[in-house]
Amino acid sequence: MLFRSYEGVRESKGITQTLTVPATAIRSTAVAAVRPYLDLYPLPTESILDVATGQPSTQVGRFSYIYKRPTREDFGQARWDYNLSEKDMMFARYTIVDSSRTNAVGFPQFSDFATSRGQYMTFSENHTFSPAVLNMLRLSFLRSFQNYDSPSEVSLGFLPGIQMGSIAPGSGVTSLGPIGSRPLGLNQNQYSLGNDVLWTRGNHTIKFGTLINKFHVYTNVGTNARGTWTFNNLAAFLSATPRQLVILSPGSVTDRTYRWETYGFYGQDDWRVSPKFTLNLGLRYEFTRKVNETKGRGSSLRNVLTDTAFAVAPELFDNPSMTNISPRLGFAW
């Protein structure tokens, strides 16, 4: 038997953006070095009253516009069930979710583009050894990614060949530029193997099994790759007198690849002591292998009280999970 389904969503949502920009009158005082960035600020669409004078502010104004945020999502699934024999039943399932969204980043010329896709594949086989013993095997694979980018002009970049970062003028003026953590990429592959055995013997229903997961994770985080100029106030911005520039050093490596595994084993006995009383006895042991950065780029602060610098090491932390033993005791009356 084959089952298939599809669902789709298309949305265009209008979002009102109300931002604070430099007033028209004060723009003529800007020095040449900041002119290209000041010109990216739209002119005010309405005034802001000065609290002290009650008159329209000569420093800042308000700019409002409606941004249409498009969203797309597609969901599809297919499942195939098949009876191999009287004792063997199997199914295979494939699921995919694909989506995208464009968000506003302050002003109309800056947008943030987000795309993601998740794919999930599962295979299951149930084998009946006898009326009292059932084995359930599961294999699955998951692949997902999320990518985000907020493009800007290379010609306005703070370093040669790098797209423009963000500017924080101060004095309540809305920051200008793309999101500071872009580009951002998160990709993960997960492999899973699970097996459960159900055994009925007299007044005992015994379950035991395992679940093993293997993770491959890739990240590329562009935080401060394009930089942020910060100013104490609007006057400092117009005179090109920044407080600081935070930006990654040229040639910095921003991607990391991590791999690790988790292992879980359990056993449980549901003992029907009497028709009215059932005792549940179980034990689970689950642990995680140490997380490793495969290219030797991982770093960690081993002791937050004494260490003065991060240590570059393949193993990112001490592993406390090796003693994760969980007993279980319960009853039903």
Side-chain angles (χ1 to χ4, degrees):
M1 182 175 63
L2 179 63
F3 169 81
R4 291 169 292 180
S5 68
Y6 167 79
E7 297 177 14
V9 175
R10 300 293 185 273
E11 179 187 70
S12 181
K13 184 176 182 180
I15 299 176
T16 300
Q17 298 277 82
T18 301
L19 312 167
T20 302
V21 299
T24 303
I26 202 175
R27 295 181 179 226
S28 61
T29 65
V31 300
V34 301
R35 269 288 170 190
Y37 304 103
L38 178 62
D39 290 342
L40 295 176
Y41 278 101
L43 294 175
T45 55
E46 60 180 296
S47 300
I48 296 177
L49 296 181
D50 188 292
V51 177
T53 65
Q55 299 298 314
S57 172
T58 59
Q59 301 292 308
V60 295
R62 190 172 288 122
F63 172 75
S64 299
Y65 74 105
I66 297 177
Y67 180 85
K68 289 186 178 181
R69 186 185 68 186
T71 300
R72 175 192 60 83
E73 182 172 298
D74 296 293
F75 171 88
Q77 186 175 85
R79 172 168 171 153
W80 179 51
D81 291 86
Y82 184 71
N83 293 338
L84 298 172
S85 66
E86 292 183 355
K87 294 186 176 182
D88 291 280
M89 296 180 295
M90 60 163 286
F91 79 81
R93 182 178 61 229
Y94 172 71
T95 304
I96 182 170
V97 182
D98 190 272
S99 63
S100 64
R101 171 175 286 183
T102 302
N103 293 300
V105 185
F107 298 96
Q109 62 268 51
F110 297 101
S111 297
D112 189 53
F113 302 99
T115 58
S116 67
R117 175 179 292 176
Q119 299 181 81
Y120 314 89
M121 289 168 278
T122 301
F123 170 80
S124 177
E125 198 269 341
N126 294 345
H127 178 75
T128 303
F129 287 97
S130 71
V133 181
L134 173 66
N135 187 82
M136 297 167 284
L137 173 68
R138 299 177 310 281
L139 299 171
S140 63
F141 171 69
L142 178 154
R143 170 172 287 177
S144 62
F145 76 81
Q146 297 176 348
N147 289 330
Y148 303 87
D149 196 12
S150 184
S152 57
E153 289 291 334
V154 176
S155 61
L156 296 177
F158 305 150
L159 292 177
I162 297 178
Q163 295 182 49
M164 173 187 163
S166 60
I167 296 176
S171 298
V173 176
T174 303
S175 294
L176 180 75
I179 294 180
S181 60
R182 305 301 189 247
L184 172 63
L186 304 170
N187 301 335
Q188 175 176 292
N189 290 343
Q190 178 181 341
Y191 308 84
S192 297
L193 168 64
N195 195 83
D196 300 283
V197 177
L198 179 63
W199 179 25
T200 302
R201 184 178 177 86
N203 293 335
H204 297 268
T205 300
I206 301 171
K207 305 174 186 177
F208 57 90
T210 184
L211 177 62
I212 301 172
N213 296 305
K214 186 177 182 66
F215 298 89
H216 293 178
V217 176
Y218 172 83
T219 66
N220 190 356
V221 182
T223 301
N224 293 324
R226 300 171 185 174
T228 300
W229 279 113
T230 303
F231 298 82
N232 286 329
N233 49 51
L234 182 57
F237 169 63
L238 296 175
S239 64
T241 309
R243 186 179 70 196
Q244 66 176 5
L245 169 64
V246 178
I247 192 169
L248 288 180
S249 301
S252 297
V253 178
T254 58
D255 67 286
R256 301 290 186 272
T257 302
Y258 302 99
R259 294 188 180 185
W260 72 94
E261 301 88 32
T262 64
Y263 298 86
F265 307 93
Y266 78 94
Q268 179 170 317
D269 181 11
D270 296 330
W271 178 19
R272 190 177 182 185
V273 182
S274 71
K276 294 184 178 180
F277 182 75
T278 301
L279 189 62
N280 308 118
L281 303 170
L283 184 67
R284 183 174 184 87
Y285 177 47
E286 186 168 1
F287 62 93
T288 302
R289 295 286 301 276
K290 288 186 178 181
V291 179
N292 292 322
E293 206 291 320
T294 61
K295 299 176 183 178
R297 297 171 180 168
S299 63
S300 61
L301 199 64
R302 297 293 176 168
N303 190 319
V304 296
L305 298 178
T306 60
D307 290 358
T308 59
F310 283 80
V312 177
E315 296 180 349
L316 302 186
F317 63 89
D318 291 330
N319 189 357
S321 71
M322 302 304 293
T323 57
N324 283 355
I325 300 175
S326 304
R328 179 180 181 184
L329 175 63
F331 67 90
W333 177 262

